[in-house]
Amino acid sequence: MPKAAARKPPRATVGRPRKEHARPDARNLILDAAEALFSTRGFDGVTIREVTALANVDTALAHYYFTTKQGLFDAVLERRAEEVFAERMAAFDRYEAEAGKHVTIEGAVGAFLSPLLQRARTGGVGWKNYFRLLSVVNNDPMHVAPSVLLYFDPLVHRLVNVLKKALPEASVADLYWCFQFLTGSLTLALSRTGRIDRLSSGLCHSDDLAAIEPRLIEYCASGIRCVCAKPRKTTPARPGAHESRTGQNR
Amino acid sequence: MPKAAARKPPRATVGRPRKEHARPDARNLILDAAEALFSTRGFDGVTIREVTALANVDTALAHYYFTTKQGLFDAVLERRAEEVFAERMAAFDRYEAEAGKHVTIEGAVGAFLSPLLQRARTGGVGWKNYFRLLSVVNNDPMHVAPSVLLYFDPLVHRLVNVLKKALPEASVADLYWCFQFLTGSLTLALSRTGRIDRLSSGLCHSDDLAAIEPRLIEYCASGIRCVCAKPRKTTPARPGAHESRTGQNR
DNA sequence: GTCTATAACTGGATAGAC
DNA sequence: GTCTATCCAGTTATAGAC
């Protein structure tokens, strides 16, 4: 079983080569096709034959490179994972260096979201498919290899830690709840189902990430501020509407 | 092809019978099993044989009642759709009657979310599975019949209309964007993947809907207020960081 | 590395007895 | 309404030629 990491050829030059797709090999053709199909129909909705047909290669090649369907799926997720991870971590580094002690919620949320959304907006179709695939696996963790989580979980902890600087009083539980709300919104934004197009009668387009990014950052930051600023110790309140006294003390 | 609606026997009494599951017939056994399996693995991740095995009935029965796998899937979605729809519409009626001209964002969001979350919290395992299934189809509209959308789209329009009363200045597009953020958070909350449990080291539990409901309502309402209060016509701004001055007015 | 051929199996669906 | 038996298209995966 060939290790995926061992297959990447070393870069002769620094920086991003302008067009690496001069002559894509079969392996990358398969990955591209799989990325496109898995991202729209999920693991079980796609057959290897469809993937290889879209890639215009023989079916057996997929098994040659990836052994199993699950191996192919893992390889698709892993192909861009490290690059995304590094970019997002760098965004946090940059932001923390520039903000110093004056960390804002908007800044933290922006550092978390912007690298993703910018790549999803400006990247090629492969990147767009990749991010949609991320949103697929976020709701269906069934087929995601544990190793892939190492590229995503640390970013969540980093976000929570930076947020804690901006909101020293906030309970950690509230911060994680807010993260879940945030990532749910992000997931739906990246999945681009087109539902919002229909609902809004064409006012909004689900792939208009340029419209989504500023709104999403403001939206989440404001929500975090509100939830985390509210003392959550004892809220007996009146049991009228949705004011359930949660008693979730820290 | 038997129409699903024609199959429902007429109710002899009004109101909801306390225990209709005294002796569940095969049809409902199949629906229960399908609900449980589809909600965790999606349409393509489940076989009819698995469903009927879980229901302890013969495989051919599923085809007898629902003709095709897609028919079974549709029937699962439709079984509880009308009840949920009526309950959520009634929540809006109640809220609008009680609020009169003083509609709040929290009130509108609560009317939209609370009926769902309360049923997801207090209902039986069938209801929990059903709501998880809703979150599955929200990210994968591939297999959802157009007829089912009639139970959900009107509620979105209703939410937007009520929100517009609370925010007369808001642009309709912003309101729909906010709805998308909201429904993304809701979707992830209902899918209960357990990811937040791991990330928070056990501080949060993804099926703790009692903790989620008040936070989610506050979070979304605050985000809506922020996004919709901000004038969005021309935003050249400075292309620096993402430090949007939050202007949390109101 | 790539392709042909095929093994081994599983899926949805149906005919027809009871 | 329920079950037995089966069809057959399509699936992953592999062996082996080139």
Side-chain angles (χ1 to χ4, degrees), chain A residues 91-173:
Chain A
F92 273 118
D93 292 341
R94 236 180 298 120
Y95 177 70
E96 289 205 280
E98 136 192 346
K101 289 306 268 181
H102 304 93
V103 174
T104 66
I105 306 177
E106 280 78 7
V109 172
F112 185 79
L113 292 178
S114 287
L116 277 193
L117 293 171
Q118 280 189 29
R119 253 200 196 286
R121 198 172 67 235
T122 63
V125 62
W127 279 105
K128 291 185 205 301
N129 291 337
Y130 182 71
F131 289 121
R132 181 160 51 194
L133 180 60
L134 288 189
S135 77
V136 165
V137 301
N138 199 33
N139 284 70
D140 167 36
M142 187 84 74
H143 297 283
V144 55
S147 63
V148 175
L149 296 176
L150 298 179
Y151 290 112
F152 295 96
D153 285 3
L155 284 157
V156 178
H157 296 127
R158 181 103 191 239
L159 169 65
V160 168
N161 285 338
V162 178
L163 281 175
K164 195 127 186 56
K165 286 197 198 171
L167 291 161
E169 313 279 286
S171 89
V172 177

Side-chain angles (χ1 to χ4, degrees), chain A:
Chain A
M1 176 131 71
K3 200 75 200 86
R7 206 165 275 282
K8 198 187 299 180
R11 290 265 179 77
T13 59
V14 294
R16 179 159 35 127
R18 199 63 200 109
K19 276 282 186 187
E20 211 169 22
H21 288 273
R23 182 65 185 97
D25 53 3
R27 188 174 193 273
N28 273 319
L29 286 175
I30 295 171
L31 285 174
D32 289 339
E35 195 170 52
L37 292 174
F38 282 140
S39 73
T40 57
R41 303 214 289 270
F43 182 83
D44 296 301
V46 174
T47 68
I48 292 190
R49 293 162 125 91
E50 286 177 290
V51 171
T52 52
L54 181 61
N56 260 312
V57 303
D58 191 273
T59 307
L61 266 191
H63 289 103
Y64 171 74
Y65 282 114
F66 308 104
T67 313
T68 66
K69 184 181 177 183
Q70 181 66 53
L72 170 58
F73 190 78
D74 295 344
V76 171
L77 276 180
E78 268 168 23
R79 177 167 58 153
R80 308 185 195 263
E82 185 165 351
E83 186 172 350
V84 172
F85 174 76
E87 202 165 271
R88 298 179 79 187
M89 274 298 185
F92 273 118
D93 292 341
R94 236 180 298 120
Y95 177 70
E96 289 205 280
E98 136 192 346
K101 289 306 268 181
H102 304 93
V103 174
T104 66
I105 306 177
E106 280 78 7
V109 172
F112 185 79
L113 292 178
S114 287
L116 277 193
L117 293 171
Q118 280 189 29
R119 253 200 196 286
R121 198 172 67 235
T122 63
V125 62
W127 279 105
K128 291 185 205 301
N129 291 337
Y130 182 71
F131 289 121
R132 181 160 51 194
L133 180 60
L134 288 189
S135 77
V136 165
V137 301
N138 199 33
N139 284 70
D140 167 36
M142 187 84 74
H143 297 283
V144 55
S147 63
V148 175
L149 296 176
L150 298 179
Y151 290 112
F152 295 96
D153 285 3
L155 284 157
V156 178
H157 296 127
R158 181 103 191 239
L159 169 65
V160 168
N161 285 338
V162 178
L163 281 175
K164 195 127 186 56
K165 286 197 198 171
L167 291 161
E169 313 279 286
S171 89
V172 177
D174 281 345
L175 288 172
Y176 276 105
W177 281 127
C178 285
F179 158 74
Q180 192 187 38
F181 302 153
L182 180 158
T183 201
S185 301
L186 173 65
T187 291
L188 196 57
L190 294 176
S191 71
R192 315 196 316 275
T193 63
R195 189 179 179 213
I196 194 73
D197 304 49
R198 188 187 69 246
L199 285 168
S200 71
S201 307
L203 274 177
C204 309
H205 298 283
S206 65
D207 44 11
D208 182 3
L209 292 173
I212 289 174
E213 180 169 345
R215 289 173 176 81
L216 182 57
I217 292 174
E218 293 163 12
Y219 178 94
C220 294
S222 176
I224 292 168
R225 181 163 9 249
C226 173
V227 167
C228 294
K230 191 160 300 192
R232 198 77 60 176
K233 297 286 182 190
T234 56
T235 351
R238 59 200 183 325
H242 29 263
E243 262 93 11
S244 74
R245 49 260 158 265
T246 68
Q248 165 101 8
N249 46 358
R250 275 198 102 99

